[in-house]
């Protein structure tokens, strides 16, 4: 239930979220994971979502990524109301508009780096030859041109996360969503991964990053602080790591 | 289509990743398909053999007898019929226009002896010189007995190949005297070898002129009469004619039914097909059950695999796989399992069926229909058994799947 009147669709930002609630029902108990989020993200923004564990960061991220649907509230992606789409329509949006990067990489263990990166293209119905070419290009962008035939267990953590980033990029999505992408990496490797995100942002990608570490969040142009399912405050870091222009 | 091949390739990879498990799943299908193919092949080979055997009875010969060959209904009804007698044979012989060849058949089992060798319970036929035409048999050695020998009740005999072997060994039987139930007969011919007919040794028989057939009250004895037309198209005319003659001879009023039977080879063939029809049904059920068991096996293992691969499903959904795509993904695994199983089952079925067929000395015939049934059934099982697990996979919640470590 939005109190504000909606701006016309063509003037909506890339992401427009209004009064978003998410309630998980676990038997008799209810978990209020999100309680009224209002958030706009413009194209080519670099946004970090920060907050303590359990504050609802992943829940928000999953809804933005169309993996989950809100219990209440409105979510417009590219001017389209996605809060009421069915499962298959959401799958198609994930396939075309969203690129996910997870803390635990989530690669297919038996597939090579190339095959992992091809996966979104396979579901988009792109031909095998074209898929291979696009996946190879994406792996080159993350500096893994020489590892395309390696399986995840033959790669280091940082390399796995690069494969995951390549997979998120390959379908040329509207947003790249990263949920604690450095959470499973050591500081140095984490910094390398953040360099990639910074670079992707410079190239015009929209990036939403979830983290609970300030120095990671400082890479973004905008930091949204979440607490108990609500936006506590927003800040703009003085020196945005990758966005010096 | 192209995409489906890719799904099949993926399916192949994931079956390969769990070889032992895949092996046992495939085995279930192999057993079902092998059973079906095996029994179908055996039945078809027996069918072909039996039809060959029945055709030996001659498509243009009819047999008049007291009982029908295939009794449907009450057996007791037929018991009270009068016997077919030699008098009726003579009547048919004199009056029938359509019967080109006609012979009485008096059957019994006798002991035959030659010097110190003897054979008991030898199938003995008393008939006339036209019998070889009605029964489609011929001699491989010597000659058949003549009209005159029949007329004059000469003690001559044509013996079967088995009788020859046992009584004479390598000795030439022609012109030798053997004893049939103690009475001397001269061997004039040896029947060509015919092998088995439903387990009955067709070479263990002797044939003598019916006029020499010593039996209690020959004129009252129940016999059969074989009649053959020269043109198979006249068979129906022959049958009508026989009915007319016999009803007249027996003075059957028009309101009463025949009290004799006119039998024909196709009655046996029809009866046989009725029998095997039931057998086919049984096989279908048995094979079907084993395929269902195989299918349940697939469904079970697929369910385990869906549970194990929850995370994989979550990943696929996160990058945009729709429900349909996930369903096709898992269905193609179960279809592949059953196609591989079906193929192996066909090969195994054909090979295994050779064993009993060889023992029965029958040539195997594998028809394309049998193969089609094997492939059809196994793919059906593949699709049906994969549907439920595939649906479960499609309903996996990606968020929970990805959280699950
Ligand atoms: N699927 C779920 N079912 C029930 N509760 C959940 C589920 N997912 C998250 N929660 C709860 O919602 C709250 C927010 O979770 P989450 O968004 O994962 O937080 P964060 O990512 O900030 O740590 C937590 O209390 C968590 O236990
Ligand atoms: Mg989280």
């Amino acid at each position: 239930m939005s109190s504000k009147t909606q701006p016309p669709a063509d003037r909506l930002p890339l992401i427009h979220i209004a009064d978003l609630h998410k309630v998980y029902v676990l038997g008799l108990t209810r978990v209020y994971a999100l309680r009224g989020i209002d958030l706009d993200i413009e194209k080519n923004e670099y946004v970090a979502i920060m907050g303590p564990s359990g504050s609802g960061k992943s829940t928000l991220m999953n809804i933005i990524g169309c993996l989950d649907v809100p219990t209440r509230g409105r979510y417009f992606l590219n001017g389209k109301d996605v809060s009421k789409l069915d499962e298959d329509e959401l799958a198609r949006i994930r396939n075309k508009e969203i690129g996910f990067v997870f803390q635990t990489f989530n690669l297919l263990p038996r597939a090579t780096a190339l095959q992992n990166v091809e996966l979104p293209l396979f579901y988009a119905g792109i031909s095998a030859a074209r898929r291979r070419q696009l996946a190879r290009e994406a792996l080159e962008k993350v500096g893994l041109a020489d590892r395309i035939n390696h399986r995840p267990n033959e790669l280091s953590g940082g390399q796995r996360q690069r494969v995951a980033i390549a997979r998120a990029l390959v379908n040329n999505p509207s947003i790249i969503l990263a949920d604690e992408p450095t959470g499973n990496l050591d500081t140095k490797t984490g910094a390398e991964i953040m360099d990639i995100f910074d670079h992707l942002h410079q190239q015009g990608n929209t990036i939403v990053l979830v983290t609970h570490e300030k120095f990671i969040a400082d890479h973004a142009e905008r930091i949204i602080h979440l607490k108990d399912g609500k936006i506590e405050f927003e800040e703009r870091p003085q020196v945005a790591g990758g966005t010096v222009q | 289509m192209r995409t489906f091949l890719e799904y099949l390739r993926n399916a192949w990879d994931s079956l390969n990743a769990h070889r032992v498990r895949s092996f046992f799943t495939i085995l279930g299908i192999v057993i079902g398909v092998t059973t079906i193919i095996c029994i179908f092949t055996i039945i078809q080979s027996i069918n072909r053999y039996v039809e060959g055997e029945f055709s030996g009875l001659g498509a243009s010969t009819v047999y008049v007898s007291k009982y029908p060959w295939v009794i449907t209904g009450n057996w007791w009804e037929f018991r009270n019929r009068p016997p077919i007698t030699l008098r009726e044979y003579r009547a048919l012989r004199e009056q029938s226009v359509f019967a080109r060849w006609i012979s009485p058949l008096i059957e019994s089992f006798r002991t035959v002896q030659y010097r110190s060798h003897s054979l008991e319970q030898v199938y003995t036929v008393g008939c006339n010189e036209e019998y070889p035409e009605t029964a489609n048999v011929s001699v491989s050695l010597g000659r058949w007995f003549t009209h005159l020998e029949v007329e004059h009740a000469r003690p001559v005999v044509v013996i079967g190949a088995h009788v020859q072997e046992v009584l004479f060994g390598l000795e030439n039987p022609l012109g030798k005297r053997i004893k049939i139930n103690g009475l001397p007969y001269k061997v004039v011919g040896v029947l060509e070898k015919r092998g088995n007919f439903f387990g009955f040794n067709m070479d263990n028989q002797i044939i003598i002129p019916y006029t020499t057939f010593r039996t209690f009250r020959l004129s009252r004895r129940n016999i059969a009469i074989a009649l053959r037309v020269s043109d198979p198209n006249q068979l129906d005319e022959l049958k009508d004619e026989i009915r007319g003659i016999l009803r007249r001879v027996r003075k059957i009023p028009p309101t009463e039914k025949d009290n004799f039977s006119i039998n024909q080879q196709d009655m046996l063939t029809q009866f046989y097909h009725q029998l095997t029809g039931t057998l086919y049904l049984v096989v279908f059920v048995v094979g079907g059950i084993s395929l269902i068991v195989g299918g349940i096996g697939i469904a079970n293992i697929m369910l385990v695999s869906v549970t194990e691969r929850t995370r994989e499903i979550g990943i696929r959904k996160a990058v945009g796989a729709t429900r349909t795509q996930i369903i096709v993904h898992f269905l193609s695994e179960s279809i592949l399992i059953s196609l591989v199983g079906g193929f192996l089952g066909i090969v195994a079925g054909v090979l295994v069926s050779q064993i009993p067929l060889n023992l029965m000395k029958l040539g195997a015939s594998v028809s394309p229909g049998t193969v089609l049934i094997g492939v059809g059934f196994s793919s059906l099982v593949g699709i049906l058994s994969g549907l439920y697990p595939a649906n479960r996979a499609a309903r996996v919640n990606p968020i929970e799947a990805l959280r699950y470590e």
Side-chain angles (χ1 to χ4, degrees):
Chain A
M1 177 183 82
S2 175
S3 50
K4 297 175 267 183
T5 48
Q6 301 302 335
D10 58 335
R11 256 185 282 139
L12 279 178
L14 177 62
I15 290 170
H16 173 71
I17 285 170
D19 193 30
L20 197 79
H21 290 254
K22 179 73 187 180
V23 185
Y24 292 109
V25 182
L26 289 175
L28 292 177
T29 61
R30 290 165 169 228
V31 182
Y32 292 87
L34 297 175
R35 341 161 159 228
I37 302 281
D38 294 301
L39 177 65
D40 284 355
I41 296 174
E42 296 292 341
K43 202 168 169 332
N44 198 24
E45 266 196 297
Y46 193 176
V47 179
I49 299 174
M50 260 196 87
S53 178
S55 56
K57 306 184 294 292
S58 296
T59 303
L60 180 57
M61 180 69 95
N62 288 336
I63 291 174
I64 293 176
C66 295
L67 267 177
D68 206 350
V69 286
T71 312
R72 202 176 94 190
R74 312 269 263 156
Y75 169 28
F76 289 82
L77 175 65
N78 272 331
K80 188 173 182 187
D81 186 355
V82 292
S83 41
K84 301 208 164 56
L85 295 182
D86 72 19
E87 249 198 80
D88 279 356
E89 290 166 322
L90 290 176
R92 251 167 262 128
I93 289 186
R94 289 198 293 275
N95 187 246
K96 303 240 150 45
E97 311 287 346
I98 313 286
F100 275 109
V101 178
F102 300 95
Q103 177 177 356
T104 51
F105 320 133
N106 282 331
L107 299 175
L108 296 180
R110 279 183 282 105
T112 62
L114 192 70
Q115 288 165 339
N116 265 294
V117 177
E118 279 183 36
L119 202 59
L121 303 173
F122 175 74
Y123 290 121
I126 291 169
S127 78
R130 178 92 180 115
R131 252 163 31 212
R132 198 150 306 143
Q133 187 202 340
L134 290 171
R136 201 187 294 267
E137 283 170 15
L139 281 163
E140 277 164 15
K141 276 188 204 160
V142 297
L144 276 184
D146 55 340
R147 294 283 189 280
I148 61 170
N149 289 320
H150 289 233
R151 281 168 216 283
N153 62 0
E154 299 160 346
L155 297 170
S156 71
Q159 287 170 331
R160 287 182 212 183
Q161 198 57 303
R162 286 165 195 246
V163 175
I165 294 171
R167 182 180 64 191
L169 284 177
V170 74
N171 53 352
N172 204 16
S174 305
I175 335 159
I176 294 171
L177 298 174
D179 193 349
E180 313 221 18
T182 59
N184 272 15
L185 302 174
D186 60 70
T187 320
K188 184 171 165 286
T189 318
E192 283 167 20
I193 293 299
M194 288 316 296
D195 285 345
I196 296 178
F197 282 114
D198 294 347
H199 183 68
L200 289 174
H201 173 240
Q202 276 167 16
Q203 292 190 322
N205 289 289
T206 312
I207 296 172
V208 179
L209 184 77
V210 163
T211 181
H212 57 263
E213 287 170 305
K214 185 74 167 80
F215 73 95
I216 298 286
D218 280 340
H219 283 256
E221 305 165 316
R222 214 178 133 193
I223 303 176
I224 315 254
H225 288 267
L226 223 57
K227 198 179 173 190
D228 296 333
K230 283 185 180 153
I231 294 178
E232 199 180 19
F233 64 95
E234 234 193 88
E235 64 173 317
R236 293 197 174 256
Q238 297 311 312
V239 188
T243 55
V244 188
Q245 281 164 11
Chain B
M1 191 61 217
R2 177 96 145 263
T3 348
F4 186 67
L5 285 181
E6 282 195 63
Y7 275 108
L8 277 185
R9 249 226 346 254
N10 286 344
W12 178 258
D13 289 341
S14 60
L15 293 188
N16 236 325
H18 300 280
R19 281 197 205 138
V20 176
R21 178 195 290 179
S22 310
F23 171 79
F24 282 106
T25 325
I26 288 172
L27 196 65
I29 296 298
V30 172
I31 291 171
V33 175
T34 304
T35 316
I36 288 188
I37 297 286
C38 212
I39 302 179
F40 265 79
T41 306
I42 291 175
I43 289 182
Q44 281 186 342
S45 306
I46 293 178
N47 271 357
R48 276 204 328 184
Y49 167 77
V50 165
E51 269 163 29
E53 287 291 324
F54 282 152
S55 71
L57 290 171
S60 44
T61 301
V62 296
Y63 294 83
V64 177
S65 61
K66 180 174 167 183
Y67 294 103
W69 283 350
V70 178
I71 294 182
T72 51
N74 197 349
W75 184 80
W76 295 99
E77 277 176 30
F78 304 106
R79 255 186 76 96
N80 296 328
R81 286 177 165 186
I84 309 285
T85 62
L86 281 173
R87 195 172 69 93
E88 283 152 349
Y89 155 65
R90 282 187 214 104
L92 286 172
R93 185 169 186 92
E94 277 158 24
Q95 298 171 32
S96 171
V97 180
F98 289 104
R100 169 78 178 74
W101 295 280
I102 168 167
S103 171
L105 299 170
I106 315 174
E107 296 162 312
S108 145
F109 289 88
R110 311 241 144 147
T111 303
V112 295
Q113 263 176 297
Y114 177 69
R115 293 193 177 142
S116 60
H117 303 284
S118 77
L119 259 176
E120 288 179 6
Q121 292 287 312
V122 177
Y123 176 64
T124 305
V125 181
C127 58
N128 68 15
E129 72 282 359
E130 290 178 7
Y131 173 80
E133 314 297 338
T134 62
N136 257 330
V137 294
S138 54
V139 289
S140 62
L141 201 65
R143 61 172 177 84
W144 201 262
F145 40 76
T146 63
H147 178 65
L148 278 179
E149 283 170 326
V150 175
E151 287 293 289
H152 295 107
R154 305 309 305 250
V156 288
V157 60
V158 174
I159 61 175
H162 178 70
V163 176
Q164 180 204 1
E165 268 166 46
V166 174
L167 295 189
F168 294 97
L170 295 173
E171 199 183 330
N172 181 3
L174 295 182
K176 304 282 159 49
R177 276 173 200 288
I178 64 171
K179 283 188 170 156
I180 302 174
N181 276 8
L183 298 168
Y185 278 76
K186 187 175 84 177
V187 177
V188 294
V190 176
L191 284 172
E192 63 180 358
K193 222 174 157 56
R194 288 168 72 195
N196 280 356
F197 179 59
F198 294 109
F200 178 77
N201 186 350
M202 299 286 280
D203 299 320
N204 190 22
Q205 63 169 295
I206 58 175
I207 299 171
I208 58 177
Y210 76 95
T211 45
T212 71
F213 204 101
R214 296 303 154 94
T215 180
F216 181 66
R217 297 228 304 189
L218 184 59
S219 63
R220 290 291 306 153
R221 197 186 191 283
N222 182 42
I223 65 168
I225 304 162
L227 305 99
R228 179 177 167 191
V229 288
S230 45
D231 176 1
N233 294 325
Q234 294 178 335
L235 209 58
D236 286 336
E237 282 93 332
L238 174 63
K239 280 153 73 178
D240 287 345
E241 187 189 48
I242 293 170
R243 286 189 63 206
I245 294 170
L246 287 182
R247 289 180 72 94
R248 225 177 309 126
V249 169
R250 293 189 162 188
K251 301 193 173 64
I252 303 173
T255 50
E256 267 177 49
K257 286 193 288 182
D258 293 348
N259 57 5
F260 52 86
S261 292
I262 301 173
N263 297 300
Q264 205 185 322
Q265 167 219 328
D266 65 359
M267 288 171 65
L268 286 183
T269 325
Q270 278 167 19
F271 179 60
Y272 177 76
H273 282 304
Q274 268 177 22
L275 271 184
T276 48
T278 331
L279 199 63
Y280 263 115
L281 200 77
V282 171
V283 170
F284 233 73
V285 171
V286 169
I289 288 174
S290 52
L291 274 178
I292 289 171
V293 171
I296 292 173
I298 293 187
N300 237 315
I301 294 196
M302 293 288 294
L303 278 177
V304 171
S305 149
V306 167
T307 312
E308 274 190 4
R309 288 156 69 187
T310 303
R311 191 177 192 83
E312 172 188 334
I313 298 165
I315 294 172
R316 291 179 183 276
K317 286 192 146 189
V319 301
T322 59
R323 275 161 168 270
T324 315
Q325 285 169 325
I326 297 289
I327 287 175
V328 174
H329 181 107
F330 280 89
L331 262 191
S332 52
E333 288 188 18
S334 65
I335 290 173
L336 187 66
I337 286 175
S338 23
L339 281 184
V340 172
F343 175 76
L344 293 179
I346 288 167
V347 173
V350 169
L351 290 181
V352 171
S353 61
Q354 301 305 303
I355 299 167
L357 290 179
N358 271 335
L359 290 177
M360 292 189 283
K361 301 196 173 61
L362 297 180
S365 67
V366 180
S367 68
T370 310
V371 173
L372 222 71
I373 285 171
V375 172
F377 259 83
S378 53
S379 10
L380 193 72
V381 165
I383 292 174
L384 290 183
S385 59
L387 270 178
Y388 177 63
N391 246 305
R392 276 272 286 264
R395 267 183 287 148
V396 161
N397 178 345
I399 302 164
E400 267 150 41
L402 291 174
R403 216 214 306 265
Y404 172 92
E405 279 293 324

